[in-house]
Amino acid sequence: MPPLFFRDERFAYVFGRDGGLTKVDILSGEIDKRVIQGGNSIGGAISEDGTLVAVSNYEPGGVKIFNAQTLELVADIPAVGANGMQSKVVGLVDAPDNRFVFSLYESDEIWIADVSDPAAPQITKFTDIGRGPYDALITPDGRHYIAGLFGEDGMALVDLWYPEKGVRRILDNYGRGEEKLPVYKMPHLEGWAIAGDFAFVPAVGHNQVIVVDRKSWQQVGKIPVHGQPIFVMARPGGRHMWVNFAYPNNDTLQVIDTESQEIIKTLKPGKAVLHMEFTPKGDKVWASVRDDDQVQIYDTKSFEKLDQLPVEKPSGIFFTNRAHTIGL
């Protein structure tokens, strides 16, 4: 679970499977504050105004909202769906106008929480969105929230400019009737690439990247790749996408040209390439190579490896400029 960075980039919030919410002072390298807020937290989000940090929980299912400075509890939103079940919460993101958006796995719902008044959040609920939402993203402009579905083909989209229009099903015919590959690792929707007029989506159970028109939200192409994609990440500026893959094909990175939609480079960094992160202006990309105990740094123009750092079992790489990006 990636950390979140406060807008001054000094503090990071870390979410633990033990239910802990920890505020870390990056400059001093020390814990500033810590609370145990649940049984199993899966991620979080910071409000648009920077005053609140929300935590999504598997156990007990729901969202808890804290004062970002003191970590005092401000609001508790149990995720009890229309079916009466308390659900795991996934895909929690921050949205414009001091809203949080999240999905309920067991009850197949999407909720929008307006926290303009933190003591009394206003909840908008969408039911029957499709079976098993497992993760979600918000587009970089903050307009569209998209939940991936594990229980059936397709995805669920909410236009946050017009939430009254409800949930729209998109890509519901993708892969229908085709035999899927074993899913060793679910794609991370926050790693989908938005570049120009298109979204580039990792296909669950297929060795493909799906190309989606952002105006119609219909599939307009598919790109065969080395394995089942995990992260499809756009270089700042959107010229290229970098893709890594699930086990057993996770020794590889591929670069896709967003204009031609063709693979232009295949790299073999080593064993278990788990994550990539671009420098803010996109001139370099850092990649974690877990089983070789390395973080490798590549030039994004020449694709040459510039350096490598010895790091014990690296996983996610997260730069503090994420503090200024919606949904991260």
Side-chain angles (χ1 to χ4, degrees):
M1 291 164 285
L4 297 176
F5 297 102
F6 194 65
R7 58 180 57 193
D8 64 4
E9 301 187 26
R10 173 172 178 173
F11 294 100
Y13 300 88
V14 181
F15 310 92
R17 290 290 192 173
D18 63 352
L21 168 61
T22 306
K23 182 182 178 185
V24 178
D25 187 326
I26 298 173
L27 292 183
S28 68
E30 297 177 345
I31 292 175
D32 181 75
K33 291 179 177 64
R34 175 174 167 81
V35 296
I36 300 296
Q37 57 80 47
N40 188 344
S41 57
I42 193 63
I46 296 177
S47 62
E48 180 183 56
D49 64 8
T51 64
L52 303 171
V53 56
V55 185
S56 58
N57 287 301
Y58 275 6
E59 300 173 8
V63 172
K64 291 185 178 180
I65 300 174
F66 298 85
N67 181 296
Q69 295 287 355
T70 66
L71 298 193
E72 293 179 358
L73 182 65
V74 174
D76 187 355
I77 306 173
V80 179
N83 60 4
M85 298 177 61
Q86 189 155 0
S87 294
K88 299 181 184 71
V89 169
V90 297
L92 172 66
V93 300
D94 59 286
D97 301 320
N98 269 358
R99 292 177 291 175
F100 294 117
V101 191
F102 50 93
S103 298
L104 281 61
Y105 181 79
E106 280 84 6
S107 61
D108 305 332
E109 299 183 28
I110 292 173
W111 290 9
I112 302 174
D114 185 329
V115 292
S116 300
D117 179 0
Q122 301 298 306
I123 312 297
T124 302
K125 302 178 181 180
F126 304 95
T127 60
D128 298 321
I129 65 157
R131 294 199 310 273
Y134 67 88
D135 199 4
L137 65 81
I138 187 168
T139 51
D141 58 9
R143 177 169 180 176
H144 294 101
Y145 178 86
I146 304 171
L149 302 176
F150 188 64
E152 59 184 277
D153 292 325
M155 303 172 195
L157 178 146
V158 178
D159 186 337
L160 296 174
W161 285 12
Y162 303 102
E164 66 275 8
K165 293 184 178 180
V167 174
R168 176 182 172 186
R169 287 295 300 276
I170 62 173
L171 302 180
D172 57 342
N173 290 314
Y174 176 75
R176 185 162 293 176
E178 299 178 14
E179 183 178 355
K180 292 186 178 182
L181 299 169
V183 178
Y184 293 103
K185 174 70 174 175
M186 295 301 296
H188 289 275
L189 273 69
E190 289 182 357
W192 293 3
I194 305 293
D197 294 330
F198 301 102
F200 296 86
V201 180
V204 177
H206 299 274
N207 293 345
Q208 297 171 346
V209 172
I210 309 167
V211 185
V212 181
D213 185 297
R214 288 189 63 196
K215 295 180 181 178
S216 66
W217 291 106
Q218 297 297 313
Q219 179 185 344
V220 293
K222 55 187 178 182
I223 305 169
V225 290
H226 171 73
Q228 182 171 292
I230 294 296
F231 288 102
V232 179
M233 300 182 69
R235 172 187 172 185
R239 188 68 181 89
H240 298 140
M241 295 172 295
W242 289 60
V243 186
N244 71 335
F245 302 97
Y247 176 87
N249 299 310
N250 59 359
D251 64 341
T252 300
L253 283 172
Q254 289 190 310
V255 183
I256 297 174
D257 181 280
T258 55
E259 186 174 36
S260 67
Q261 298 179 10
E262 296 179 348
I263 295 168
I264 58 172
K265 190 70 176 181
T266 296
L267 302 168
K268 295 286 186 179
K271 300 176 183 177
V273 183
L274 298 189
H275 194 248
M276 302 88 71
E277 185 87 335
F278 291 94
T279 52
K281 293 190 177 181
D283 56 321
K284 298 178 181 65
V285 64
W286 293 40
S288 62
V289 189
R290 184 193 62 193
D291 292 354
D292 284 336
D293 297 313
Q294 294 177 0
V295 170
Q296 298 183 8
I297 304 169
Y298 290 85
D299 183 292
T300 54
K301 184 177 181 180
S302 68
F303 310 121
E304 295 296 321
K305 186 170 77 171
L306 301 175
D307 206 349
Q308 64 187 41
L309 308 174
V311 180
E312 185 176 353
K313 297 296 178 283
S315 181
I317 301 172
F318 309 105
F319 295 156
T320 58
N321 65 294
R322 283 172 166 252
H324 313 293
T325 302
I326 293 173
L328 297 179

